[in-house]
Amino acid sequence: MSEFLAGKILVVDDERDLARLVEGYLCKAGLEVVVRHNGLEAVAAAREFGPDVLLLDLGLPGLDGIEVCRQVRRFSDCHVLMLTARDDEVDKIVGLSVGADDYVTKPFSPRELVARVQAMLRRARRETSTPSATPVPAGRAHVVGDLTVDESSRQVLLAGNPVVLTRTEFDLLAALAAHPQLVLSRGQLVELVWDAHWSGDEHLVDVHIGRIRKKLHDEAASPRFIHTVRGIGYRMGPGR
Protein backbone atom coordinates (compact mmCIF):
# COMPACT_ATOMS: atom_id res chain seq x y z
CA MET A 1 0.00 0.00 0.00
CA SER A 2 2.59 2.50 -1.10
CA GLU A 3 0.09 4.95 -2.63
CA PHE A 4 -1.48 7.36 -0.16
CA LEU A 5 -4.49 9.34 -1.32
CA ALA A 6 -6.53 11.68 0.84
CA GLY A 7 -10.15 10.73 1.16
CA LYS A 8 -13.13 10.23 3.46
CA ILE A 9 -14.54 6.72 3.58
CA LEU A 10 -17.81 5.63 5.19
CA VAL A 11 -17.91 1.89 5.97
CA VAL A 12 -21.35 0.43 6.68
CA ASP A 13 -21.53 -3.23 7.70
CA ASP A 14 -23.34 -4.99 10.54
CA GLU A 15 -20.52 -7.56 10.77
CA ARG A 16 -18.53 -5.61 13.34
CA ASP A 17 -15.35 -7.68 13.11
CA LEU A 18 -15.26 -7.30 9.35
CA ALA A 19 -15.99 -3.58 9.57
CA ARG A 20 -13.15 -3.20 12.07
CA LEU A 21 -10.78 -5.12 9.79
CA VAL A 22 -11.69 -3.00 6.76
CA GLU A 23 -11.37 0.17 8.84
CA GLY A 24 -7.85 -0.84 9.88
CA TYR A 25 -6.68 -1.41 6.31
CA LEU A 26 -8.18 1.86 5.12
CA CYS A 27 -6.62 3.82 7.99
CA LYS A 28 -3.22 2.29 7.21
CA ALA A 29 -3.67 3.60 3.67
CA GLY A 30 -3.96 7.12 5.11
CA LEU A 31 -7.72 7.49 4.72
CA GLU A 32 -10.21 9.10 7.09
CA VAL A 33 -12.75 6.45 8.07
CA VAL A 34 -16.14 6.46 9.79
CA VAL A 35 -17.92 3.16 10.54
CA ARG A 36 -21.64 2.53 10.99
CA HIS A 37 -23.55 -0.72 11.49
CA ASN A 38 -27.14 -0.16 10.32
CA GLY A 39 -28.98 1.53 7.52
CA LEU A 40 -30.51 4.45 9.40
CA GLU A 41 -27.14 5.39 10.88
CA ALA A 42 -25.60 5.08 7.42
CA VAL A 43 -27.89 7.67 5.83
CA ALA A 44 -27.35 10.11 8.71
CA ALA A 45 -23.56 9.61 8.59
CA ALA A 46 -23.50 10.15 4.82
CA ARG A 47 -25.18 13.52 5.34
CA GLU A 48 -22.93 14.59 8.20
CA PHE A 49 -19.60 13.11 7.10
CA GLY A 50 -19.84 13.74 3.36
CA PRO A 51 -17.77 10.71 2.27
CA ASP A 52 -15.88 10.44 -0.99
CA VAL A 53 -16.53 6.70 -1.02
CA LEU A 54 -19.30 4.73 0.67
CA LEU A 55 -18.60 1.03 1.33
CA LEU A 56 -22.09 -0.33 1.80
CA ASP A 57 -23.15 -3.82 2.87
CA LEU A 58 -26.23 -5.05 1.04
CA GLY A 59 -27.79 -6.88 4.01
CA LEU A 60 -28.24 -4.33 6.81
CA PRO A 61 -30.68 -4.05 9.72
CA GLY A 62 -33.09 -1.14 9.69
CA LEU A 63 -32.76 -0.11 6.06
CA ASP A 64 -31.07 -2.54 3.69
CA GLY A 65 -28.21 -1.44 1.47
CA ILE A 66 -30.46 -0.94 -1.55
CA GLU A 67 -32.65 1.57 0.29
CA VAL A 68 -29.62 3.28 1.87
CA CYS A 69 -28.08 3.73 -1.58
CA ARG A 70 -31.35 5.05 -2.97
CA GLN A 71 -31.65 7.64 -0.17
CA VAL A 72 -27.98 8.67 -0.27
CA ARG A 73 -28.22 9.26 -4.02
CA ARG A 74 -30.81 11.96 -3.34
CA PHE A 75 -28.16 14.22 -1.80
CA SER A 76 -24.70 12.81 -2.60
CA ASP A 77 -22.71 11.82 -5.67
CA CYS A 78 -20.10 9.95 -3.64
CA HIS A 79 -18.79 6.70 -5.07
CA VAL A 80 -20.75 3.71 -3.75
CA LEU A 81 -19.14 0.28 -3.54
CA MET A 82 -21.59 -2.44 -2.53
CA LEU A 83 -20.37 -5.23 -0.25
CA THR A 84 -22.52 -8.30 -0.64
CA ALA A 85 -22.45 -11.84 0.70
CA ARG A 86 -25.06 -12.78 -1.89
CA ASP A 87 -23.93 -14.37 -5.12
CA ASP A 88 -27.26 -13.63 -6.77
CA GLU A 89 -26.77 -11.57 -9.93
CA VAL A 90 -30.19 -9.98 -9.45
CA ASP A 91 -29.10 -8.43 -6.13
CA LYS A 92 -26.00 -6.96 -7.74
CA ILE A 93 -27.95 -5.52 -10.66
CA VAL A 94 -30.53 -4.01 -8.31
CA GLY A 95 -27.72 -2.41 -6.30
CA LEU A 96 -26.21 -0.89 -9.42
CA SER A 97 -29.62 0.19 -10.68
CA VAL A 98 -30.21 2.42 -7.64
CA GLY A 99 -26.89 4.20 -8.07
CA ALA A 100 -24.04 2.02 -6.79
CA ASP A 101 -20.88 2.25 -8.88
CA ASP A 102 -19.45 -1.21 -8.29
CA TYR A 103 -19.73 -4.24 -6.04
CA VAL A 104 -17.48 -6.72 -4.24
CA THR A 105 -18.72 -10.15 -3.19
CA LYS A 106 -17.76 -11.50 0.23
CA PRO A 107 -15.38 -12.97 1.13
CA PHE A 108 -12.97 -10.46 -0.34
CA SER A 109 -9.35 -9.48 0.16
CA PRO A 110 -9.05 -6.29 2.26
CA ARG A 111 -6.08 -5.29 0.12
CA GLU A 112 -8.18 -5.62 -3.02
CA LEU A 113 -10.90 -3.56 -1.38
CA VAL A 114 -8.41 -0.80 -0.54
CA ALA A 115 -7.18 -0.90 -4.15
CA ARG A 116 -10.76 -0.45 -5.38
CA VAL A 117 -11.24 2.51 -3.02
CA GLN A 118 -7.99 4.11 -4.16
CA ALA A 119 -9.06 3.72 -7.79
CA MET A 120 -12.30 5.54 -6.96
CA LEU A 121 -10.39 8.32 -5.22
CA ARG A 122 -8.13 8.74 -8.25
CA ARG A 123 -11.28 9.21 -10.34
CA ALA A 124 -12.57 11.82 -7.89
CA ARG A 125 -9.24 13.67 -8.07
CA ARG A 126 -9.39 13.91 -11.88
CA GLU A 127 -13.12 14.62 -12.02
CA THR A 128 -12.65 17.94 -13.83
CA SER A 129 -10.85 16.22 -16.68
CA THR A 130 -11.91 13.66 -19.23
CA PRO A 131 -11.71 9.95 -18.46
CA SER A 132 -10.56 9.47 -22.02
CA ALA A 133 -7.17 8.04 -22.95
CA THR A 134 -6.88 10.93 -25.45
CA PRO A 135 -7.19 14.13 -23.38
CA VAL A 136 -9.83 16.61 -24.40
CA PRO A 137 -8.96 20.31 -24.00
CA ALA A 138 -10.29 21.81 -20.77
CA GLY A 139 -13.69 23.42 -21.20
CA ARG A 140 -14.66 21.42 -24.27
CA ALA A 141 -18.25 20.35 -24.50
CA HIS A 142 -19.38 17.44 -26.66
CA VAL A 143 -22.58 18.09 -28.59
CA VAL A 144 -24.53 15.15 -29.98
CA GLY A 145 -27.83 16.28 -31.46
CA ASP A 146 -29.66 18.03 -28.62
CA LEU A 147 -27.40 16.37 -26.01
CA THR A 148 -24.51 18.35 -24.51
CA VAL A 149 -21.86 16.70 -22.33
CA ASP A 150 -19.66 19.38 -20.73
CA GLU A 151 -16.38 17.95 -19.42
CA SER A 152 -15.31 21.01 -17.42
CA SER A 153 -18.54 21.56 -15.51
CA ARG A 154 -19.51 17.86 -15.53
CA GLN A 155 -22.98 18.82 -16.66
CA VAL A 156 -25.27 17.08 -19.10
CA LEU A 157 -28.07 18.91 -20.90
CA LEU A 158 -30.77 17.29 -23.01
CA ALA A 159 -32.69 19.83 -25.10
CA GLY A 160 -31.45 22.45 -22.66
CA ASN A 161 -32.68 20.59 -19.58
CA PRO A 162 -30.18 19.26 -17.01
CA VAL A 163 -29.80 15.50 -16.65
CA VAL A 164 -28.64 14.25 -13.25
CA LEU A 165 -26.05 11.46 -13.53
CA THR A 166 -23.85 9.74 -11.00
CA ARG A 167 -20.09 10.14 -11.40
CA THR A 168 -19.78 6.76 -13.05
CA GLU A 169 -22.67 7.45 -15.41
CA PHE A 170 -21.18 10.81 -16.39
CA ASP A 171 -17.74 9.32 -16.96
CA LEU A 172 -19.16 6.57 -19.17
CA LEU A 173 -21.22 9.02 -21.22
CA ALA A 174 -18.26 11.40 -21.52
CA ALA A 175 -15.97 8.60 -22.68
CA LEU A 176 -18.42 7.71 -25.45
CA ALA A 177 -19.11 11.33 -26.40
CA ALA A 178 -15.38 12.09 -26.60
CA HIS A 179 -15.02 9.38 -29.27
CA PRO A 180 -17.99 9.92 -31.62
CA GLN A 181 -18.71 6.99 -33.93
CA LEU A 182 -15.86 4.96 -32.38
CA VAL A 183 -16.85 1.58 -30.96
CA LEU A 184 -15.53 1.11 -27.42
CA SER A 185 -15.49 -2.37 -25.94
CA ARG A 186 -16.58 -3.02 -22.38
CA GLY A 187 -12.93 -3.58 -21.49
CA GLN A 188 -11.92 -0.22 -22.95
CA LEU A 189 -14.74 1.54 -21.10
CA VAL A 190 -13.71 -0.15 -17.84
CA GLU A 191 -10.13 1.00 -18.35
CA LEU A 192 -11.19 4.56 -19.17
CA VAL A 193 -13.76 4.94 -16.41
CA TRP A 194 -12.84 2.62 -13.54
CA ASP A 195 -9.12 1.92 -13.57
CA ALA A 196 -6.54 0.21 -15.75
CA HIS A 197 -5.91 -2.31 -12.96
CA TRP A 198 -9.57 -2.83 -12.03
CA SER A 199 -10.71 -6.43 -11.85
CA GLY A 200 -14.33 -7.48 -11.81
CA ASP A 201 -17.32 -8.16 -14.02
CA GLU A 202 -17.18 -6.04 -17.18
CA HIS A 203 -20.93 -6.48 -17.61
CA LEU A 204 -21.54 -3.88 -14.90
CA VAL A 205 -20.93 -1.48 -17.82
CA ASP A 206 -24.22 -2.73 -19.32
CA VAL A 207 -26.17 -1.87 -16.16
CA HIS A 208 -24.78 1.66 -16.04
CA ILE A 209 -25.43 2.15 -19.76
CA GLY A 210 -29.02 1.06 -19.13
CA ARG A 211 -29.40 3.72 -16.43
CA ILE A 212 -27.93 6.40 -18.70
CA ARG A 213 -30.30 5.44 -21.52
CA LYS A 214 -33.27 5.66 -19.18
CA LYS A 215 -32.27 9.15 -18.05
CA LEU A 216 -31.74 10.27 -21.65
CA HIS A 217 -35.03 8.68 -22.77
CA ASP A 218 -32.91 6.76 -25.27
CA GLU A 219 -34.55 3.50 -26.34
CA ALA A 220 -32.13 0.62 -26.85
CA ALA A 221 -34.23 -0.70 -29.74
CA SER A 222 -34.03 2.60 -31.65
CA PRO A 223 -31.28 4.67 -30.00
CA ARG A 224 -30.44 8.27 -30.78
CA PHE A 225 -27.35 8.44 -28.63
CA ILE A 226 -25.86 5.19 -27.30
CA HIS A 227 -25.74 2.34 -29.79
CA THR A 228 -25.01 -1.26 -28.84
CA VAL A 229 -22.51 -3.03 -31.08
CA ARG A 230 -23.42 -6.63 -30.42
CA GLY A 231 -20.57 -8.76 -29.14
CA ILE A 232 -18.22 -5.78 -28.81
CA GLY A 233 -19.48 -2.79 -26.84
CA TYR A 234 -20.98 0.65 -27.45
CA ARG A 235 -20.58 3.74 -29.60
CA MET A 236 -22.07 7.21 -29.55
CA GLY A 237 -24.58 7.80 -32.33
CA PRO A 238 -25.39 11.03 -34.23
CA GLY A 239 -28.21 12.03 -31.87
CA ARG A 240 -30.85 12.15 -34.59
Side-chain angles (χ1 to χ4, degrees), residues 31-178:
L31 300 168
E32 183 180 355
V33 185
V34 164
V35 177
R36 294 293 184 267
H37 301 294
N38 68 59
L40 291 172
E41 291 178 351
V43 176
R47 286 186 182 277
E48 296 167 7
F49 183 51
D52 298 299
V53 179
L54 169 59
L55 301 184
L56 181 60
D57 184 35
L58 189 61
L60 292 170
L63 300 176
D64 66 17
I66 300 297
E67 183 58 28
V68 170
C69 186
R70 184 180 286 113
Q71 292 193 23
V72 168
R73 275 289 173 251
R74 293 172 184 165
F75 59 84
S76 174
D77 68 344
C78 68
H79 294 295
V80 178
L81 180 60
M82 284 282 191
L83 309 177
T84 174
R86 308 176 193 177
D87 200 28
D88 189 336
E89 192 66 26
V90 172
D91 290 322
K92 296 168 185 175
I93 290 174
V94 170
L96 295 173
S97 72
V98 296
D101 298 285
D102 200 354
Y103 63 83
V104 174
T105 302
K106 299 176 183 178
F108 52 77
S109 160
R111 284 187 172 86
E112 178 190 348
L113 189 66
V114 172
R116 292 277 190 102
V117 169
Q118 289 173 327
M120 288 178 163
L121 290 172
R122 283 192 293 273
R123 285 175 57 199
R125 188 168 61 180
R126 73 182 190 213
E127 68 178 4
T128 56
S129 65
T130 175
S132 168
T134 304
V136 175
R140 176 173 173 180
H142 310 293
V143 179
V144 182
D146 57 0
L147 176 69
T148 301
V149 183
D150 192 321
E151 295 272 0
S152 59
S153 66
R154 294 184 66 83
Q155 288 186 322
V156 175
L157 298 176
L158 179 60
N161 299 310
V163 179
V164 179
L165 300 179
T166 66
R167 293 186 186 188
T168 295
E169 291 164 359
F170 179 90
D171 288 345
L172 271 172
L173 183 61
L176 290 166

